[in-house]
Amino acid sequence: MFAKWQPKASENWHSYHSNIDYQSEEWSHWWGADWVRTGLPGYDKPGSSDITLSLAGLPDFKTESTKAVTPPQWLLDNPGTRVAKRDNYTVADYLIEWQTDWVKRFGVDGYRVDTVKHVEGEVWKRLKAEATLSLEQWRKDNNQSGQPFWMMGEVWGHSAYRSPYFDDGFNALINFDMQKKLDKGAACFSQMADTYQSYATQFKSLTTLTQ
């Protein structure tokens, strides 16, 4: 029924929420409080730090947790998910396994990662390392070659400088200074002059420091 739901003339797609009881205790059978924090009955409330907040109202996986967890039953009962119970796996262990499974099966050679600052750097390092090994194995099994596994990160407000995120496994980060100028720059390139001047100043400073 819900799969075929469409808004009526007086509704929009957000009206779908009127069909959901967000106060039901049945939410305990969803991911479970050991997996995520969210504003549902029986779950920990989101925090205020980058790691624990609820970004855009979405549930937050407890990637920092060291507690062993079991995947929810609805995932285990669906063979299409390829999810299996592992001994002593944490939330981060499962998420890394599921992401690298795409690399193992299809030879995916890179990820564009959203909202990087909301997950611990150690988790990104592990993802990069395990995805790299998985890609190397896939290429060996399929007689392929290519560049190392690549990770592009999105950190809101990041500009053109080398930050600690590079040490967490990211090869590049989205340059928001450039993004904000592109529309005006397309009409008149001089509108991007201050952006390029900022780059020149930063790079000159870095060159001076390394000499």
Side-chain angles (χ1 to χ4, degrees):
M1 178 180 71
F2 289 132
K4 297 180 180 179
W5 183 89
Q6 291 188 12
K8 299 176 182 178
S10 61
E11 299 177 329
N12 57 36
W13 286 102
H14 293 287
S15 301
Y16 180 88
H17 291 281
S18 64
N19 297 296
I20 302 172
D21 180 4
Y22 287 106
Q23 301 306 313
S24 172
E25 297 298 326
E26 292 299 310
W27 283 105
S28 63
H29 302 299
W30 188 45
W31 282 98
D34 289 339
W35 275 84
V36 301
R37 54 176 65 85
T38 187
L40 293 171
Y43 288 78
D44 293 336
K45 300 296 183 183
S48 57
S49 70
D50 284 338
I51 299 299
T52 63
L53 60 76
S54 180
L55 186 65
L58 298 171
D60 178 55
F61 278 114
K62 295 182 175 180
T63 50
E64 80 287 356
S65 175
T66 59
K67 184 177 182 178
V69 294
T70 299
Q73 198 61 43
W74 56 270
L75 272 180
L76 294 172
D77 289 343
N78 186 343
T81 65
R82 298 172 58 89
V83 170
K85 182 183 182 301
R86 308 295 189 195
D87 292 334
N88 300 316
Y89 262 39
T90 65
V91 171
D93 292 333
Y94 279 109
L95 295 178
I96 290 171
E97 178 181 87
W98 298 341
Q99 295 302 315
T100 53
D101 186 54
W102 292 97
V103 183
K104 294 173 184 176
R105 294 168 62 196
F106 304 113
V108 172
D109 60 4
Y111 282 139
R112 186 275 194 194
V113 182
D114 203 18
T115 58
V116 168
K117 69 179 180 180
H118 299 292
V119 176
E120 303 77 8
E122 287 300 316
V123 174
W124 294 131
K125 288 180 184 177
R126 288 181 53 204
L127 175 63
K128 177 66 172 295
E130 296 189 31
T132 296
L133 291 175
S134 296
L135 180 59
E136 291 173 353
Q137 186 61 53
W138 183 89
R139 284 174 172 164
K140 181 179 179 181
D141 294 342
N142 291 275
N143 194 29
Q144 299 287 326
S145 61
Q147 297 296 314
F149 190 86
W150 176 272
M151 289 205 328
M152 162 74 79
E154 179 269 345
V155 180
W156 181 252
H158 201 286
S159 57
Y161 68 100
R162 191 190 190 288
S163 69
Y165 295 110
F166 285 89
D167 300 320
D168 294 337
F170 290 93
N171 300 92
L173 292 161
I174 293 173
N175 180 353
F176 282 92
D177 277 355
M178 177 68 76
Q179 182 191 51
K180 288 182 289 187
K181 296 287 187 177
L182 282 178
D183 287 343
K184 291 183 178 180
C188 180
F189 201 64
S190 65
Q191 294 290 328
M192 302 182 70
D194 59 341
T195 300
Y196 283 108
Q197 182 59 57
S198 174
Y199 297 164
T201 301
Q202 290 183 52
F203 296 152
K204 181 179 179 180
S205 175
L206 287 173
T207 301
T208 302
L209 290 173
T210 56
Q211 287 179 345

